[in-house]
Amino acid sequence: TRVDTSIMKARDIANFSKTDWGQLAVHARGLIVKDMNDGVMQNGIFKYKSKEYAAKKATGALGSFRKANKGTNRVTMLLSGETARRIRPEGKSDRATLVYENGTIVQANEDRGYVIADLSPKNRDKSALFLQRIVDRNVKKYESKPITIKIGK
């Protein structure tokens, strides 16, 4: 008895390509940037608020790019957006990686409690669901291939 499954093998369903890992990295970057804008840190412990930050934001001391958002005293972590723009997602053959090109700024912020170089538990769950969608897509692809079973010679 021989089973021929065409191109995709069952063991390939849960294998992720470099492209899949790259898509996950882009997804994770988007989650982090959204949280940065909302003032949510990735350590999941707190949302930092500061009266001093609110006063500077209201007077425009942080620059015109944040003056319009006067309603909150939450630290947004975006300011000019340079740190967020310099998070580079990369897909490797066996993992997703985020490269923080402004590493010294990220580390200095982390020392003050503004953690953005990790994923919060909520974002880890969202990333796991993202990978699950890739697996589901692969299952559908696997199921769509005809299976030929030859018995005998």
Side-chain angles (χ1 to χ4, degrees):
T1 304
R2 189 179 102 200
V3 177
D4 180 22
T5 58
S6 185
I7 297 172
M8 182 174 236
K9 306 262 188 244
R11 66 177 179 260
D12 294 334
I13 290 174
N15 285 348
F16 301 106
S17 68
K18 186 176 177 180
T19 301
D20 294 336
W21 288 116
Q23 289 172 348
L24 175 64
V26 169
H27 175 76
R29 180 194 178 279
L31 294 172
I32 290 172
V33 170
K34 180 187 179 307
D35 283 352
M36 286 171 70
N37 191 44
D38 294 342
V40 178
M41 303 306 141
Q42 296 302 309
N43 55 8
I45 296 173
F46 61 89
K47 293 181 180 181
Y48 184 84
K49 293 190 176 194
S50 165
K51 290 180 182 177
E52 178 185 340
Y53 181 84
K56 285 182 179 180
K57 187 189 277 186
T59 62
L62 298 175
S64 61
F65 42 79
R66 288 290 157 206
K67 188 173 182 181
N69 185 9
K70 292 181 186 178
T72 182
N73 59 349
R74 190 175 294 151
V75 177
T76 66
M77 293 301 298
L78 284 182
L79 296 179
S80 67
E82 186 65 24
T83 300
R85 281 192 300 273
R86 296 188 74 186
I87 300 173
R88 187 169 31 97
E90 289 184 354
K92 304 291 184 184
S93 61
D94 60 346
R95 67 187 175 279
T97 308
L98 295 175
V99 177
Y100 291 82
E101 294 175 348
N102 270 351
T104 54
I105 292 172
V106 172
Q107 185 62 51
N109 283 325
E110 194 167 306
D111 291 344
R112 287 191 294 245
Y114 310 141
V115 178
I116 62 169
D118 196 2
L119 286 178
S120 67
K122 177 185 72 164
N123 287 342
R124 286 178 192 265
D125 291 344
K126 288 180 180 180
S127 296
L129 288 174
F130 185 86
L131 285 177
Q132 181 60 48
R133 286 193 299 270
I134 293 172
V135 170
D136 292 344
R137 183 183 67 210
N138 289 344
V139 166
K140 287 180 182 174
K141 188 186 329 183
Y142 177 72
E143 290 176 340
S144 70
K145 302 294 179 188
I147 297 175
T148 306
I149 300 174
K150 294 183 180 181
I151 300 174
K153 293 184 179 183

